[in-house]
């Protein structure tokens, strides 16, 4: 499956199934359709079907970018506490 490089909203799809396990941990593929769950998230993989989307966020503004930023911020706070002896 192709890796989605950005967050977006599905505008055209044909039997689209996405592997969101990298974000949710859920191993089942998620069916995406215009009328039900049209959000596509960066870092996920297309497993079946095809589609087109309008990009809504890239880089640090995407869901994956936000997660990585939060994880990085948490690590920096831990380092600061260790340096202070706290």
């Amino acid at each position: 499956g192709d890796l989605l490089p950005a967050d977006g909203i599905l505008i055209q799809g044909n039997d689209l199934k996405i592997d969101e396990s990298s974000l949710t941990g859920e191993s089942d593929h998620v069916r995406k359709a215009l009328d039900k769950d049209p959000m596509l998230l960066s870092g996920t993989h297309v497993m079946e079907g095809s589609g087109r989307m309008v990009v809504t966020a890239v880089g640090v503004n995407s869901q994956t970018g936000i997660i990585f930023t939060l994880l990085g911020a948490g690590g920096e706070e831990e380092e600061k506490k260790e340096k202070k002896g706290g």
Side-chain angles (χ1 to χ4, degrees):
D2 291 334
L3 178 69
L4 293 176
D7 291 354
I9 299 174
L10 184 67
I11 58 169
Q12 179 183 9
N14 182 26
D15 195 30
L16 189 61
K17 292 183 182 173
I18 305 293
D19 177 3
E20 295 183 344
S21 62
S22 59
L23 292 178
T24 63
E26 179 61 46
S27 60
D28 293 338
H29 298 158
V30 179
R31 182 180 299 275
K32 299 290 183 172
L34 298 175
D35 58 344
K36 184 180 179 188
D37 197 13
M39 286 301 301
L40 301 172
L41 302 173
S42 62
T44 60
H45 290 87
V46 176
M47 301 312 289
E48 289 183 29
S50 61
R52 291 180 187 227
M53 72 175 188
V54 172
V55 173
T56 57
V58 298
V60 296
N61 296 315
S62 69
Q63 283 298 137
T64 303
I66 291 168
I67 291 168
F68 285 143
T69 300
L70 291 172
L71 289 174
E76 290 171 9
E77 289 175 13
E78 293 291 324
E79 289 175 17
K80 288 178 185 177
K81 288 180 184 177
E82 289 174 10
K83 286 181 184 177
K84 290 181 180 178

